[in-house]
């Protein structure tokens, strides 16, 4: 059974701060990693994907991957109240090339004005 | 372009009944997956279909079944509903290596 663990929340940061979300995974050979944002009562929305070690930046979001440490993180710079949501880390099943994902339980982020 | 669509949005059933949920993938996507998300948890994989063939099945009982049609739309069926089947059921479509794109979900309540 593949395990995906996320840092326990909830996480609360002031507007304008950096929010740091962390995730570890058990399957050493996993190659594809994703971050989803889920607003209350809505479905998950794909916000970042990362496949190689290092950093990947998209606007205010930066995903970081360290395969040796089996660790992936998401940084949100200049956090806004609209970023308040649950963030889900997902790891693609190495036996599948068609997208089957294993998810963590999510970290709830609150950005207060 | 239209995203993944699901119907119905909400559903209330009683224990022992059967339910059918429907999904249409993003145009051009041939893979459809179903996930179950209970409150406070991440989505859990149920089924994956590609080109009308089952490509994967999660740890769910045989009461759960699915199929994919020639137009790549899909149905998820759950028989003999239990209270514990109450959840948000998510359909996702994908292309290889691109991640899953979720529909709005069907909220199933079993009473």
């Amino acid at each position: 059974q593949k395990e995906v663990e996320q840092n326990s929340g909830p996480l609360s940061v002031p507007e304008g701060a950096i929010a740091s979300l962390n995730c570890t995974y058990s399957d050493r050979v996993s190659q594809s990693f994703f971050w989803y944002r889920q607003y209350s009562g809505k479905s998950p929305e794909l916000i970042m994907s990362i496949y190689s070690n290092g950093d990947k930046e998209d606007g205010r979001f930066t995903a970081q991957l360290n395969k040796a440490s089996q660790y992936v993180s998401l940084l949100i710079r200049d956090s806004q109240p609209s970023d308040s949501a649950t963030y889900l880390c997902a790891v693609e099943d190495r036996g599948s090339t068609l997208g089957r994902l294993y998810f963590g339980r999510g970290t709830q982020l609150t950005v207060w004005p | 372009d239209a995203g993944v669509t699901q119907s119905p949005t909400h559903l209330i059933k009683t224990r022992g009944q059967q339910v059918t949920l429907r999904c249409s993938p993003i145009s051009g996507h041939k893979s459809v997956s179903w996930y179950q998300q209970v409150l406070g948890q991440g989505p859990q994989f149920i089924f994956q279909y590609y080109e009308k063939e089952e490509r994967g099945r999660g740890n769910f009982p045989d009461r759960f079944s699915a199929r994919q049609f020639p137009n790549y739309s899909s149905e998820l069926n759950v028989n003999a509903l239990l209270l514990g089947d109450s959840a948000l059921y998510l359909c996702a479509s994908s292309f290889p290596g691109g991640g899953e794109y979720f529909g709005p979900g069907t909220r199933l309540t079993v009473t």
Side-chain angles (χ1 to χ4, degrees), chain B residues 42-83:
Chain B
Q44 185 173 0
F45 175 80
I46 309 175
F47 283 111
Q48 184 182 75
Y49 277 79
Y50 180 76
E51 291 279 17
K52 302 181 290 296
E53 292 188 0
E54 182 181 304
R55 289 298 185 94
R57 183 186 182 112
N59 187 26
F60 281 81
D62 292 342
R63 299 184 296 107
F64 289 76
S65 63
R67 56 179 175 170
Q68 187 177 33
F69 299 99
N71 65 353
Y72 304 112
S73 67
S74 178
E75 287 183 350
L76 175 70
N77 295 284
V78 186
N79 294 321
L81 285 166
L82 303 174
L83 294 178

Side-chain angles (χ1 to χ4, degrees), chain A residues 31-67:
Chain A
Q31 296 295 319
S32 302
F33 308 87
F34 306 90
W35 283 98
Y36 287 80
R37 177 176 63 197
Q38 187 172 26
Y39 292 113
S40 181
K42 302 296 185 181
S43 63
E45 174 192 9
L46 179 62
I47 57 172
M48 288 288 286
S49 59
I50 187 166
Y51 308 101
S52 303
N53 279 330
D55 295 358
K56 178 182 178 182
E57 187 173 317
D58 184 0
R60 296 186 295 111
F61 297 98
T62 299
Q64 299 174 317
L65 175 61
N66 184 326
K67 291 184 180 180

